[in-house]
Amino acid sequence: MDTKLINIGFGNIVTANRVIAIVSPESAPIKRLITDAKEKGQLIDATYGRRTRAVIITDSNHVILSAIQPETVANRFMINVDK
């Protein structure tokens, strides 16, 4: 199995085959998802103190916060998956 890695900003990388969704943090359901993940210890904050612009949901129910736009993360995802 070939492992593809996706840069989610500031040198942080996730494994592409574990990503289920890349979404914007603006909606109430996503905000609840972030709060629940924080309470369960499944939140990974990779924003380095910057504003959260993308929320990455993994198959292990971890929630990763990124400071780059969801479209940018998705484009990186698509480029790396196609290789």
Side-chain angles (χ1 to χ4, degrees), residues 8-21:
I8 60 166
F10 307 109
N12 297 298
I13 298 171
V14 297
T15 306
N17 61 347
R18 303 296 301 263
V19 174
I20 293 177

Side-chain angles (χ1 to χ4, degrees), residues 2 6 13-14 17 33-34 39 41 46 53 55 67 73 77 80-81:
D2 196 22
I6 307 299
I13 298 171
V14 297
N17 61 347
L33 182 73
I34 293 168
E39 290 172 359
R53 295 195 171 154
V55 178
V73 177
F77 182 83
N80 284 334
V81 170

Side-chain angles (χ1 to χ4, degrees), residues 15-79:
T15 306
N17 61 347
R18 303 296 301 263
V19 174
I20 293 177
I22 304 166
V23 296
S24 173
E26 304 302 320
S27 71
I30 298 302
K31 289 178 181 179
R32 279 193 301 272
L33 182 73
I34 293 168
T35 303
D36 292 346
K38 188 174 188 176
E39 290 172 359
K40 294 177 185 175
Q42 294 181 316
L43 180 70
I44 301 168
D45 187 350
T47 62
Y48 280 77
R50 291 171 176 83
R51 180 174 165 233
T52 300
R53 295 195 171 154
V55 178
I56 302 164
I57 303 165
T58 66
D59 61 353
S60 63
N61 292 327
H62 283 84
V63 176
I64 305 167
L65 306 180
S66 175
I68 32 182
Q69 294 289 342
E71 295 82 16
T72 304
V73 177
N75 288 337
R76 293 177 183 180
F77 182 83
M78 296 307 296
I79 290 169

